[in-house]
Amino acid sequence: MPQVDIDIEQGARAPSPYVPRMARITAASQMTETERFFRIRMEGEPLRYEPGQFVGATVFGVGEAPISICSSPTQGDEFELTVRTIGTVTGNLMAYKAGDRLGIRGPFGNRFDYDAMKGQDLLIVGAGLGLAPTRSLIRYALDKRENFGNVTIMIGAREPRWLLYRDEIEQWTQRSDVKTLVTVDRADKDWKGKVGVVTRLFSDIKLDPARTWAVVVGPPVMFKFTVLEALAEGVPEHRIICSLERHMKCGVGKCGHCQIRGVYVCREGPVFTYEQVKKLREGI
Ligand SMILES: Cc1cc2nc3c(=O)[nH]c(=O)nc-3n(C[C@H](O)[C@H](O)[C@H](O)COP(=O)(O)OP(=O)(O)OC[C@H]3O[C@@H](n4cnc5c(N)ncnc54)[C@H](O)[C@@H]3O)c2cc1C
Ligand code: FES
């Protein structure tokens, strides 16, 4: 281990990947009962990141949690996170508001390979908190719309009250250059949209499998059945993309916490093709 001088004030200039840099929350809002949204600005150099990457978010004196960046680098110098309260670190973050400071390490991991997707059709399927990493790619694709063919977004949530980014989804729905479909497993009395699991939305779209990249992120059951639908439509395994969550510590391929079959998910992932995931799963 390299020697690290953990001084949180100096951290902003520290080159070590183990030392968090200081960052300040510029906007925060509660999205659902358990999910909170943050816009963050680094103190010093802005965070340079790519869609699909994640950061280590530190609550000083408590700990660190890996969190996907849900904004796109096309949005400017600030970046965004959506945090679901699960335990110690994420629970503490629920109280964080604009003006508060936290530590940020990273960005870590690989990216959605938008160069390979250039000129091709995109099918982006995000369910639950899986919409957070996919939002980064959606925002990127919408800001660079001319780089892609047809863009289809399919979104699922358990109930309307768990739907993330509602205002933004409404804006995507209004756009004529992107097809956005939303469904909830169970409606409430105000819900006027579709009801049913996200895979049902496949009957509302027409894919050209030879030129489609399917990006699928969500809970394991959703992932399994959505991938089956995409395969049934003829999308090849190497063009189905997902983002894996593993328990992580260092984020830089040193501690081994995230390792599956010698693959360091923090460094070689979290973005993998379904072809790769199938091989990794045999090792779990
Ligand atoms: C690459 C990556 C991206 C992620 N992106 C996001 C995101 O955008 N938003 C978000 O809210 N969360 C995200 N997570 C999950 C988040 O890192 C965990 O929820 C967080 O680390 C829990 O920390 P904690 O201290 O709050 O909980 P703890 O007190 O450490 O744990 C509470 C419980 O949650 C379990 N747990 C802890 N970490 C994980 C995990 N990674 N997967 C499954 N169970 C876990 C523990 O085993 C324990 O049972 C991501 C994780 C990874 C690896
Ligand atoms: S988190 Fe330490 S090696 Fe991946």
Side-chain angles (χ1 to χ4, degrees):
M1 287 268 282
Q3 198 179 352
V4 270
D5 180 15
I6 300 180
D7 176 336
I8 60 171
E9 294 300 328
Q10 293 299 313
R13 290 189 297 278
S16 167
Y18 301 100
V19 180
R21 292 173 55 198
M22 292 305 298
R24 191 175 294 275
I25 295 170
T26 58
S29 60
Q30 200 66 27
M31 304 197 87
T32 70
E33 274 169 48
T34 54
E35 276 128 352
R36 195 159 172 80
F37 174 85
F38 300 103
R39 185 167 301 129
I40 299 168
R41 176 177 286 276
M42 300 304 296
E43 295 184 359
E45 275 293 296
L47 196 75
R48 299 282 170 230
Y49 67 94
E50 294 277 6
Q53 289 193 294
F54 64 99
V55 292
T58 294
V59 175
F60 289 107
V62 175
E64 183 189 65
I67 304 290
S68 307
I69 303 171
C70 66
S71 51
S72 160
T74 48
Q75 287 175 243
D77 284 348
E78 299 188 343
F79 64 98
E80 294 163 352
L81 306 178
T82 303
V83 178
R84 172 181 289 173
T85 178
I86 291 285
T88 321
V89 175
T90 52
N92 271 272
L93 283 169
M94 290 301 111
Y96 274 50
K97 53 191 187 316
D100 289 341
R101 296 168 89 204
L102 74 166
I104 294 288
R105 286 197 309 129
F108 297 133
N110 63 353
R111 63 175 173 125
F112 293 114
D113 188 357
Y114 50 75
D115 292 323
M117 298 170 186
K118 207 165 180 180
Q120 308 272 296
D121 295 347
L122 287 184
L123 168 65
I124 305 175
V125 192
L129 192 56
L131 190 53
T134 53
R135 176 181 179 258
S136 179
L137 181 63
I138 293 169
R139 297 285 296 245
Y140 181 88
L142 296 185
D143 287 346
K144 303 258 182 192
R145 187 63 193 86
E146 67 285 359
N147 286 0
F148 303 95
N150 294 332
V151 176
T152 306
I153 304 167
M154 301 202 312
I155 296 165
R158 279 172 289 156
E159 294 173 31
R161 68 196 171 104
W162 297 113
L163 190 57
L164 301 172
Y165 320 117
R166 280 186 90 144
D167 294 346
E168 209 171 323
I169 291 171
E170 185 55 39
Q171 289 168 22
W172 300 342
T173 311
Q174 303 298 321
R175 284 178 69 139
S176 57
D177 60 350
V178 50
K179 186 172 173 106
T180 306
L181 301 166
V182 186
T183 184
V184 295
D185 295 353
R186 288 177 300 279
D188 61 17
K189 62 179 174 37
D190 300 321
W191 181 253
K192 306 226 169 8
K194 292 176 190 295
V195 180
V197 292
V198 77
T199 45
R200 291 241 185 119
L201 298 174
F202 275 89
S203 58
D204 296 340
I205 61 166
K206 184 134 182 56
L207 292 182
D208 178 353
R211 46 175 289 140
T212 297
W213 285 83
V215 179
V216 182
V217 190
V221 173
M222 168 272 182
F223 178 74
K224 179 179 164 188
F225 287 104
T226 308
V227 167
L228 286 176
E229 286 287 345
L231 291 170
E233 292 280 340
V235 182
E237 288 181 354
H238 67 274
R239 280 169 171 262
I240 300 176
I241 309 292
C242 69
S243 177
L244 285 192
E245 267 197 25
R246 298 285 291 173
H247 285 261
M248 291 183 182
K249 290 277 180 212
C250 70
V252 290
K254 296 289 180 202
C255 73
H257 264 82
C258 65
Q259 203 192 150
I260 320 171
R261 284 197 155 189
V263 172
Y264 289 84
V265 175
C266 67
R267 213 175 46 188
E268 294 167 60
V271 176
F272 292 98
T273 65
Y274 179 61
E275 198 177 31
Q276 294 171 316
V277 165
K278 258 183 29 179
K279 289 191 187 128
L280 289 177
R281 287 226 165 122
E282 288 161 14
I284 295 177

